[in-house]
Amino acid sequence: MTRPILLKGGRVIDPSRDLDEAADVLIQDGKIAGVGRGLSAPDGADVRNVQGKIVVPGLVDLHVHLREPGNEDEETVASGARAAAAGGFTAICAMPNTDPVTDNQAAVGFIVRQSGRAGGARVHPIGAVSIGQKGERLAEFGEMVSAGAVAVSDDGKPVVSSHLMRTALEYARTFNIPVADHCEDPTLASGGVMHEGLVSTRLGLKGIPSAAEEIMVARDVLLAELTGGHVHLCHMSARGSVAIIREAKERGIRVTAEVTPHHLTLTDHACEEYDTHAKMNPPLREAADVAALRGALKDGVIDCIASDHAPHAYDEKEAAFDDAPFGVVGSRRRSGSRTPSSWRPASSRCPS
Amino acid sequence: MTASSTLGKDLTGLEHMTPEQIRLILDTAEPFKEVSERPIKKVPALRGKTIVNLFFEASTRTRISFEFAEKRLSADTVNVAASGSSVSKGETLVDTARNLEAMRIDMVVIRHGSSGAAEFLGNRIASNVINAGDGKHEHPTQALLDLLTIRDKHGKIEGLKVCLVGDVLHSRVARSNIWGLSKLGAEVGVCGPWTLLPRGIEDLGVKVFGRIEEAIEWADVLNVLRLQLERMEKGFIPSLREYYRVFGVTPERLERAPRDITIMHPGPMNRGVEIDSRVADGPHSVILDQVTNGVAVRMAVLYLLAGGRAELADAAKRGGGSE
């Protein structure tokens, strides 16, 4: 038996109960035993004063990249689960762009088993849309769901073929799972390393225009409408995407969307001086995009914050900007990032 | 006064330089011009200094120009030509930097295909780093020699209208020229097909011309950029023939200009594509003066970064040291 814990005087936020007030939280036998004002401490309780701090239910991160199997030097299921727990997450969803790709029942089962051994945050695998994420043939959604997959995605790459995306959205309806898409027109984004704009012009770096994302967002929304499937749009970065999603939701299309903490707080100016830590895909865009994304999160047009945690070995980022990999560490920093207090922790509300 | 208080440790680009620093380099280049006209083209200003010319991209003109500048200042030089990127050879740029540092060299002249590579190197080693062209970012010594050539020809830079013509999108020469010319008070224009003009270029304070005829009508100086043949292969323009027809700098077009226009080109030229031979070889072309000035400008940069004082450049030229 562990000692009961009483958290006193924190700001308790629980969107599932529409709760946002100063209160105490009592934890007994590893469970929430009571939430309210002026709770008294049971005998032997560990009483902690958390005034000025936020107390929330375990957060869910819908979008992380664990590098196991394939690149265990960068991250493993166990290290990712521990990093997430350190950041306040009790569950994370792992993208399938591992090596080999998590595109079958056995591979999904492996992640589930590794998660069970690791402890820390629970890891829910996301299976691939297509075999090998090659964008050609559908992976076995049913088999993967039976092994524990909660969604499908070819994240890291877009589903380029509109026909394949249509088929995936239709087929996923059988299993009631969303198809999560990395929205990027590869012919427009090809060779780009940052947002296309004045900063990329000054730095002499090849840009990725916002239209590369917006075109795919528009396509996915139209295909969700056509098929009745649920499309989930990963890591939105452009204000044009927000406008398309807003309109789609008004029309009742089954679309959900996520945004990362870095796209809510940083702009392409972070790439100045060729700081490779600011190299990510989709790229950091402009102040007007950040403002639109924040507004969309507040209005519920964007449903949740997800980290897109994508760790790389430290020395891989120690390179010229063109040569450095895309990606940024997100999980561990999430709860400590500059999150305005007016934002609600939307992760736990997301329907995925 | 040391170099760190005049130019800083490295020369990575003109964007963050002051007009005074740029003028200092141009003024210091003046006395060095004469050295190359002597029968014995050597002064001892950088005796005992070791310089590595680290070229990750093929270059003939810029590498030779730097090498002459170094040798005429009596530096010891080593050329490292790494074809392709260091990454493709298996060694990272940071490891290359550390190895150079371990050999206790004084200066590195670097050309690299990645924008920011010179700054990257400069931030990691104590030696002076000179950017000889990094990706699509900057090529500062090229812009400095362009500035010197314009000043020689027109007696001033301030108030002149200078138009960069062609592939501005992929051009480090264009970016360095835009910064250098603007800082010294010139009006800057760019002209080319919209597929080869970068987004946001007008926010840098330049005029944008969609047609070469408009640029010729406006400009005192045309700096004609090299059109790399791969731009056609990548589909930025449909054909070289059409490019010449629409954007080529020809005598027929120049004849309609309201004034004589000085013609520049950073080389190597594609005759009959971006520039007509009759223009390149014509009376208003200063293309070979640019090459001559390149050596003097690079001598000035090397000398100043090594700690030489501008007012001693004359003395150094006559045989004094750099200290």
Side-chain angles (χ1 to χ4, degrees):
Chain A
M1 290 291 266
T2 52
R3 289 170 71 192
I5 300 170
L6 182 63
L7 304 174
K8 282 195 81 73
R11 178 180 167 194
V12 181
I13 303 174
D14 181 359
S16 71
R17 293 195 288 167
D18 209 19
L19 184 70
D20 180 1
E21 59 185 42
D24 304 336
V25 176
L26 179 64
I27 303 161
Q28 276 183 312
D29 300 331
K31 293 195 169 129
I32 308 290
V35 178
R37 287 181 197 214
L39 293 186
S40 54
D43 286 343
D46 174 6
V47 180
R48 297 188 200 174
N49 183 0
V50 292
Q51 227 162 358
K53 294 192 160 60
I54 294 174
V55 182
V56 291
L59 297 171
V60 179
D61 192 341
L62 289 185
H63 190 142
V64 304
H65 295 272
L66 306 180
R67 304 302 192 185
E68 184 179 357
N71 287 292
E72 288 85 351
D73 58 320
E74 296 176 346
E75 188 85 285
T76 61
V77 170
S79 69
R82 279 199 304 274
F89 296 89
T90 51
I92 56 178
C93 299
M95 283 295 178
N97 61 338
T98 48
D99 183 15
V101 171
T102 306
D103 62 359
N104 61 66
Q105 183 183 31
V108 169
F110 170 75
I111 309 242
V112 171
R113 282 195 304 281
Q114 289 295 74
S115 165
R117 277 195 278 271
R122 285 190 305 282
V123 180
H124 298 295
I126 295 174
V129 169
S130 61
I131 292 168
Q133 292 192 313
K134 288 188 179 140
E136 291 161 6
R137 287 171 48 220
L138 283 187
E140 294 170 327
F141 293 5
E143 297 278 304
M144 292 192 292
V145 168
S146 69
V150 295
V152 288
S153 179
D154 274 355
D155 185 66
K157 295 179 203 169
V159 177
V160 176
S161 159
S162 299
H163 171 72
L164 183 72
M165 190 64 181
R166 175 206 173 139
T167 314
L169 283 164
E170 285 171 334
Y171 190 61
R173 290 185 65 183
T174 305
F175 311 101
N176 199 24
I177 52 168
V179 179
D181 197 20
H182 168 121
C183 296
E184 177 183 356
D185 180 323
T187 63
L188 280 175
S190 171
V193 295
M194 66 173 292
H195 172 64
E196 181 178 305
L198 181 58
V199 179
S200 68
T201 291
R202 279 179 37 228
L203 293 176
L205 292 171
K206 178 144 198 238
I208 301 172
S210 296
E213 175 177 293
E214 292 154 2
I215 283 169
M216 287 304 233
V217 167
R219 182 203 72 170
D220 284 354
V221 159
L222 292 171
L223 291 176
E225 183 175 37
L226 175 70
T227 60
H230 172 189
V231 68
H232 177 74
L233 306 174
C234 297
H235 43 57
M236 290 292 97
S237 70
R239 54 190 189 267
S241 302
V242 169
I244 296 165
I245 299 165
R246 189 184 302 274
E247 200 242 326
K249 286 196 165 180
E250 282 164 10
R251 284 163 55 203
I253 297 169
R254 291 179 70 200
V255 53
T256 51
E258 68 187 36
V259 62
T260 71
H262 27 284
H263 288 101
L264 287 170
T265 49
L266 300 169
T267 66
D268 57 350
H269 286 284
C271 300
E272 305 248 16
E273 291 167 16
Y274 302 96
D275 184 348
T276 57
H277 293 97
K279 180 175 175 179
M280 58 192 78
N281 191 13
L284 297 170
R285 299 199 188 271
E286 297 168 13
D289 297 296
V290 171
L293 291 166
R294 289 182 178 203
L297 185 66
K298 253 185 149 171
D299 308 345
V301 169
I302 286 178
D303 302 84
C304 55
I305 302 173
S307 72
D308 197 9
H309 174 72
H312 291 285
Y314 75 93
D315 54 353
E316 284 187 284
K317 283 283 194 182
E318 184 77 356
F321 204 91
D322 281 336
D323 301 326
F326 290 103
V328 62
V329 175
S331 291
R332 194 184 282 272
R333 289 211 194 118
R334 167 59 162 62
S335 58
S337 69
R338 289 170 287 157
T339 311
S341 58
S342 62
W343 291 354
R344 294 190 293 164
S347 301
S348 55
R349 291 189 289 128
C350 209
S352 302
Chain B
M1 196 160 63
T2 63
S4 57
S5 63
T6 52
L7 291 191
K9 182 176 86 68
D10 306 321
L11 181 73
T12 56
L14 300 189
E15 180 179 358
H16 300 294
M17 288 182 83
T18 64
E20 291 70 32
Q21 287 174 320
I22 293 171
R23 278 191 210 101
L24 174 72
I25 295 170
L26 301 184
D27 293 344
T28 308
E30 288 295 342
F32 283 128
K33 281 182 185 174
E34 189 265 331
V35 172
S36 298
E37 305 301 330
R38 296 182 189 177
I40 297 172
K41 302 175 175 57
K42 214 172 182 73
V43 293
L46 294 190
R47 194 166 52 197
K49 299 279 185 189
T50 49
I51 303 179
V52 175
N53 297 315
L54 186 61
F55 278 65
F56 291 93
E57 272 187 350
S59 161
T60 306
R61 185 174 325 231
T62 302
R63 187 179 55 74
I64 291 174
S65 180
F66 265 109
E67 206 176 336
F68 275 136
E70 292 154 3
K71 286 185 158 53
R72 287 173 192 179
L73 291 171
S74 305
D76 295 315
T77 68
V78 175
N79 290 322
V80 180
S83 55
S85 76
S86 61
V87 176
S88 72
K89 286 179 66 193
E91 186 178 74
T92 62
L93 186 55
V94 68
D95 280 336
T96 306
R98 286 179 185 143
N99 278 283
L100 291 173
E101 187 76 344
M103 287 184 260
R104 305 290 182 260
I105 48 151
D106 297 297
M107 290 184 161
V108 181
V109 176
I110 179 175
R111 164 163 296 188
H112 197 284
S114 297
S115 300
E119 199 169 315
F120 180 91
L121 191 67
N123 289 339
R124 281 161 186 80
I125 63 176
S127 324
N128 305 106
V129 172
I130 300 171
N131 183 5
D134 63 326
K136 295 172 287 184
H137 177 226
E138 287 222 39
H139 189 353
T141 57
Q142 176 68 46
L144 289 164
L145 74 88
D146 290 344
L147 290 168
L148 186 62
T149 308
I150 293 172
R151 197 171 78 170
D152 286 351
K153 173 83 177 175
H154 290 267
K156 61 169 187 176
I157 290 168
E158 195 172 352
L160 285 178
K161 294 173 176 163
V162 182
C163 190
L164 300 150
V165 180
D167 183 5
V168 179
L169 179 64
H170 299 98
S171 177
R172 51 197 174 209
V173 175
R175 284 171 180 74
S176 287
N177 261 279
I178 289 169
W179 299 121
L181 288 163
S182 307
K183 283 172 198 283
L184 296 194
E187 284 185 68
V188 186
V190 295
C191 173
W194 290 102
T195 49
L196 293 175
L197 297 177
R199 276 269 293 279
I201 187 81
E202 56 285 340
D203 294 334
L204 297 183
V206 304
K207 281 179 87 77
V208 182
F209 299 99
R211 300 303 301 249
I212 186 70
E213 293 82 2
E214 296 165 10
I216 287 172
E217 169 83 24
W218 175 81
D220 299 306
V221 179
L222 290 187
N223 197 342
V224 186
L225 303 169
R226 170 177 167 75
L227 185 81
Q228 294 193 358
L229 303 183
E230 69 172 84
R231 301 305 164 226
M232 187 184 68
E233 288 148 24
K234 293 257 172 78
F236 288 95
I237 53 166
S239 71
L240 298 180
R241 192 180 64 155
E242 175 154 303
Y243 185 85
Y244 174 74
R245 295 267 293 242
V246 182
F247 288 98
V249 178
T250 62
E252 292 75 21
R253 289 196 163 116
L254 290 174
E255 267 166 27
R256 286 188 223 112
R259 64 190 79 79
D260 289 339
I261 297 182
T262 302
I263 301 296
M264 305 174 74
H265 193 299
M269 287 185 282
N270 296 306
R271 289 168 179 263
V273 180
E274 71 266 10
I275 190 164
D276 190 288
S277 284
R278 291 166 292 164
V279 173
D281 303 329
H284 303 298
S285 165
V286 292
I287 294 171
L288 292 175
D289 302 297
Q290 290 174 267
V291 179
T292 305
N293 278 340
V295 178
V297 154
R298 290 176 176 120
M299 288 172 82
V301 168
L302 291 161
Y303 173 77
L304 289 168
L305 284 181
R309 287 187 283 173
E311 62 272 25
L312 292 182
D314 267 311
K317 191 181 72 142
R318 287 192 297 271
S322 65
E323 301 306 319

